[in-house]
Amino acid sequence: MEFRSTRGAPERVGFSTALLQGLAPDGGLYVPVEWPAFTIKDFDGATSLPEVGERLLAPFAVGDRLESQLAAILRDAFSFPAPRHLVPGSEADGGLEVLELFHGPTAAFKDFGARFLAACFEWLRDSREPTLNILVATSGDTGGAVAAAFHRRAGLAVTVLFPKGLVSPTQQRQLTCWGDNVRSFAVRGTFDDCQRMVKEAFVDEVLRAHQQLSSANSINLGRLLPQAVYYATSGLEWWRTRGSKLSFIIPSGNLGNAVACIWARHMGLPIGDVLLAHNANQTVPDYLATGTWQPRASKATLASAMDVGHPSNMERLRDLYPEIDTLHGAVTAVSIDDAAIEARVRTDYARFGEIWCPHTAVGVEAWARLTPEARRSQKWCVVSTASPAKFPETVEPLIGGKVTVPPSLAALLDRPSHHEEIGSTLTHLRSALG
Ligand SMILES: *Cc1c(COP(=O)(O)O)cnc(C)c1O
């Protein structure tokens, strides 16, 4: 399988090159040249995440160095479950399904993609070359997931950039508790600044001259493709037991998680509608409403991991659906403000006893705003992107109590923390990486 850039450069690369490069040389994002087409029968007998993943991702790795390792990599990456459940008490409103993607080491869905990528890089690393440095811009969860996935892997290093003061204290501790091969920088700027610095670093001759750089942001195909696996697995399971397609509501920022779902559906997996639930950063809902693409500076919200004003993966979505009309047929989007997030966390704790993280609350609020007919005409599943225990500062005052911290997360929060502060230009990053 070959991959091309969304920006139209003629060159084609294989799977591992796409992973190692992160971003295409013309600044675009890698997408498959052709799509595999699956039928449901192709997955007969495959029920677990690694089993479904092996069949779903095999065509992408055909002829690549990673082909023979794919099964082992998937078992390593998908070593924890992605359970789905019906929210008890929601039946009268059409029944709300929730897919929990937060049972990994850093309690957010990004563990899946980060672990897949780390396992791939460990196989791909050339021991004769200098350390492969993974640059990652994070609005909160990416950095922790990537750091956890790459920590202490030989020949690999991680540089985390996060916006100073714009991640929660609990998140910051997860970004800065690693040491060893992981360095963390608080950037005096926004997440968009961090993302721009990473993009600039990749095309910077000075840095590239003495460093092997790669990315682990959701722009990396190796983060995005494995995320299609849980949608495929969950969609198949629903189809087999209920004979209908499951529709997903996805709390979205940079659109990596959503594009993975849309890709899975595009390849033939039984997935119904996709509703993008954004916070007050409403670039995507506005685009769908007006047809004008107007990226803007990101705004700080309670769902901080979704504070993205210029979602990178829109480029992949528009590559798949270049016409606004076909895009309208493929996704819908809503924007939910902080007041509604708070109200949703409070209400659903009282009503259902469920504790949502602020990001998941955006998705659940989007579900609650559907018309009763829309809620009953098909089955909706909200993707729960993180454990509420990652955001105690926000959640605990709303529920008037403590959130139980999963043991793996508690262990991370106990580690000593260290980071450096830098300005928001490429020059600052160059000297920091020295
Ligand atoms: C990253 C993240 C999101 C947004 O995912 P994208 O792939 O950037 O759209 C939502 N919720 C949480 C908890 C996250 O960490």
Side-chain angles (χ1 to χ4, degrees):
M1 164 88 65
E2 288 185 318
F3 299 87
R4 63 173 174 85
S5 165
T6 46
R7 303 218 177 146
E11 68 151 14
R12 304 284 183 257
V13 301
F15 189 59
S16 20
T17 307
L19 263 53
L20 288 168
Q21 285 189 356
L23 201 64
D26 65 355
L29 276 56
Y30 282 118
V31 293
V33 169
E34 284 163 22
W35 288 99
F38 291 102
T39 64
I40 289 162
K41 273 183 78 63
D42 291 330
F43 294 91
D44 279 356
T47 53
S48 69
L49 291 165
E51 286 165 352
V52 172
E54 232 186 296
R55 298 197 199 170
L56 185 69
L57 301 189
F60 296 96
V62 165
D64 189 82
R65 287 193 273 167
L66 287 173
E67 184 175 8
S68 61
Q69 307 306 330
L70 190 63
I73 288 168
L74 283 161
R75 277 194 303 275
D76 178 342
F78 290 96
S79 57
F80 46 89
R84 184 169 36 70
H85 74 275
L86 172 72
V87 174
S90 70
E91 293 87 342
D93 294 325
L96 171 62
E97 293 283 332
V98 174
L99 178 65
E100 291 183 351
L101 298 180
F102 55 74
H103 296 281
T106 68
F109 81 89
K110 292 185 177 81
D111 283 324
F112 287 111
R115 287 172 60 84
F116 180 86
L117 192 68
C120 288
F121 278 3
E122 193 159 44
W123 284 103
L124 290 174
R125 183 181 77 81
D126 185 338
S127 52
R128 293 159 307 184
E129 295 283 332
T131 298
L132 177 60
N133 194 350
I134 312 299
L135 283 186
V136 53
T138 185
S139 52
D141 286 336
T142 300
V146 169
F150 284 79
H151 187 224
R152 293 190 177 148
R153 292 207 194 224
L156 301 173
V158 177
T159 302
V160 177
L161 304 182
F162 64 94
K164 178 174 182 253
L166 297 180
V167 302
S168 76
T170 308
Q171 276 180 320
Q172 179 155 334
R173 273 188 290 162
Q174 290 170 60
L175 297 173
T176 56
C177 70
W178 302 98
D180 303 312
N181 60 337
V182 178
R183 287 177 75 191
S184 308
F185 296 97
V187 172
R188 291 186 287 270
T190 62
F191 168 66
D192 292 328
D193 291 319
C194 299
Q195 190 155 260
R196 174 183 44 76
M197 288 162 78
V198 168
K199 284 190 174 178
E200 286 170 0
F202 285 123
V203 290
D204 183 49
E205 308 283 331
V206 179
L207 273 175
R208 295 217 87 140
H210 57 277
Q211 302 234 2
Q212 246 198 310
L213 296 179
S214 194
S215 92
N217 276 103
S218 62
I219 54 177
N220 195 308
L221 198 67
R223 281 269 311 279
L224 205 122
L225 277 177
Q227 292 172 354
V229 173
Y230 43 74
Y231 291 109
T233 307
S234 201
L236 283 165
E237 189 189 46
W238 188 268
W239 178 271
R240 286 167 181 153
T241 51
R242 323 286 171 108
S244 63
K245 290 180 180 175
L246 193 56
S247 291
F248 288 97
I249 300 177
I250 307 174
S252 291
N254 219 9
L255 292 176
N257 205 8
V259 166
C261 180
I262 291 163
W263 280 8
R265 184 178 65 183
H266 187 66
M267 289 187 272
L269 275 298
I271 291 166
D273 287 352
V274 175
L275 169 52
L276 310 176
H278 289 265
N279 59 23
N281 291 278
Q282 54 188 47
T283 306
V284 176
D286 284 355
Y287 175 57
L288 286 169
T290 65
T292 310
W293 180 242
Q294 236 167 14
R296 56 202 84 158
S298 58
K299 277 191 234 180
T301 76
L302 292 174
S304 62
M306 292 156 44
D307 291 348
V308 186
H310 188 173
S312 307
N313 280 296
M314 193 65 197
E315 222 170 297
R316 285 190 167 114
L317 200 53
R318 294 172 79 188
D319 188 83
L320 194 60
Y321 303 109
E323 309 297 333
I324 185 84
D325 290 345
T326 44
L327 186 62
H328 275 303
V331 291
T332 49
V334 291
S335 166
I336 306 292
D337 67 17
D338 276 358
I341 293 174
E342 292 185 326
R344 183 50 55 196
V345 172
R346 229 185 258 122
T347 307
D348 285 3
Y349 181 59
R351 206 160 62 128
F352 302 136
E354 294 270 357
I355 306 175
W356 310 125
C357 91
H359 310 79
T360 305
V362 171
V364 180
E365 176 65 15
W367 176 76
R369 288 188 189 183
L370 292 171
T371 62
E373 302 78 63
R375 279 201 302 269
R376 294 206 180 85
S377 61
Q378 60 193 312
K379 187 55 75 178
W380 290 97
C381 178
V382 169
V383 175
S384 182
T385 51
S387 158
K390 294 191 81 160
F391 309 94
E393 298 89 350
T394 305
V395 174
E396 290 181 348
L398 294 172
I399 63 166
K402 287 270 167 210
V403 182
T404 314
V405 181
S408 57
L409 196 57
L412 290 192
L413 300 179
D414 271 349
R415 298 167 59 98
S417 116
H418 177 75
H419 73 273
E420 297 154 64
E421 194 177 309
I422 61 171
S424 64
T425 70
L426 180 61
T427 316
H428 290 105
L429 182 57
R430 271 197 204 131
S431 56
L433 294 179

